């Protein structure tokens, strides 16, 4: 008769596991909204700190680059003489809504970096490409294309003319 007993306990075990699963599932259903909310809040907070850190980093990079490369919208750098025109330089970037100024600065830093690699110490005639007219009714997470371009130049040493 021992054989029947083991099948009996097996059946009980199977029942237990399904009960446990049912309880776990109920718990999960109750807890899920809290978990989701917690996750979203946590993510938003992390994104915010990341964003402010990113903005700080970009501002620092921009300040450092400004010491190496002057950027003007005019054809001349005030009080300086252009020794040599090195050629056109451009940089593109993408900005999602809400990150616009940071993305703009990042693109500007990239432009200055490219100019410095060319041996430039200034960018004259800085222009911003006007993106094609935004599509009406596009999604909120709109990608704005940013493009800066100008002319990389080498300046004469101050006092040489």
């Amino acid at each position: 008769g021992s054989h029947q007993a083991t099948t009996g306990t097996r059946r009980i075990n199977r029942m237990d596991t399904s009960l446990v699963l049912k309880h776990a599932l109920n718990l999960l259903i109750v807890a899920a909204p809290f978990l989701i909310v917690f996750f979203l809040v946590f993510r938003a907070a992390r994104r915010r700190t990341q964003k402010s850190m990113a903005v700080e980093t970009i501002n620092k990079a921009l300040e450092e680059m400004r010491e190496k490369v002057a950027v003007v919208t005019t054809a001349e750098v005030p009080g300086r003489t252009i020794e040599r025109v090195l050629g056109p330089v451009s940089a593109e970037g993408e900005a999602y809504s809400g990150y616009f100024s940071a993305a703009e600065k990042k693109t500007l830093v990239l432009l200055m970096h490219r100019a410095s690699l060319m041996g430039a110490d200034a960018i004259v005639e800085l222009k911003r490409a006007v993106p094609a007219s935004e599509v009406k009714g596009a999604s909120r997470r709109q990608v704005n294309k940013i493009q800066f371009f100008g002319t990389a130049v080498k300046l004469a040493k101050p006092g040489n003319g």
Side-chain angles (χ1 to χ4, degrees), residues 38 55 78:
F38 175 76
V55 170

Side-chain angles (χ1 to χ4, degrees), residues 18 46 58 61-62 74 123 133 141 145:
S18 68
R46 215 174 92 200
I58 290 163
L62 195 56
T74 53
I123 296 168
S133 56
R141 277 192 71 68
K145 291 258 185 267

Side-chain angles (χ1 to χ4, degrees), residues 129-149:
V130 180
S133 56
E134 308 296 341
V135 183
K136 294 269 191 293
S139 68
R140 284 255 309 272
R141 277 192 71 68
Q142 175 128 18
V143 180
N144 289 302
K145 291 258 185 267
I146 299 169
Q147 189 179 19
F148 282 112
F149 53 94

Side-chain angles (χ1 to χ4, degrees), residues 20-78:
V20 167
L21 276 173
K22 212 179 252 171
H23 277 297
L25 218 69
N26 284 342
L27 242 167
L28 210 73
I29 289 163
V30 172
F34 296 104
L35 287 171
I36 290 166
V37 167
F38 175 76
F39 175 70
L40 289 175
V41 168
F42 176 75
R43 222 174 64 178
R46 215 174 92 200
R47 202 176 276 159
R48 202 168 295 129
T49 55
Q50 273 177 352
K51 185 175 169 179
S52 61
M53 265 171 63
V55 170
E56 265 175 47
T57 311
I58 290 163
N59 283 339
K60 227 173 257 166
L62 195 56
E63 273 170 41
E64 281 172 26
M65 283 307 296
R66 277 217 173 103
E67 286 170 22
K68 293 185 211 165
V69 181
V71 179
V72 292
T73 53
T74 53
E76 296 283 324
V77 179

Side-chain angles (χ1 to χ4, degrees), residues 116-129:
S116 73
L117 288 177
M118 289 165 74
D121 40 27
I123 296 168
V124 294
E125 295 174 326
L126 176 75
K127 286 185 180 67
R128 221 197 114 160

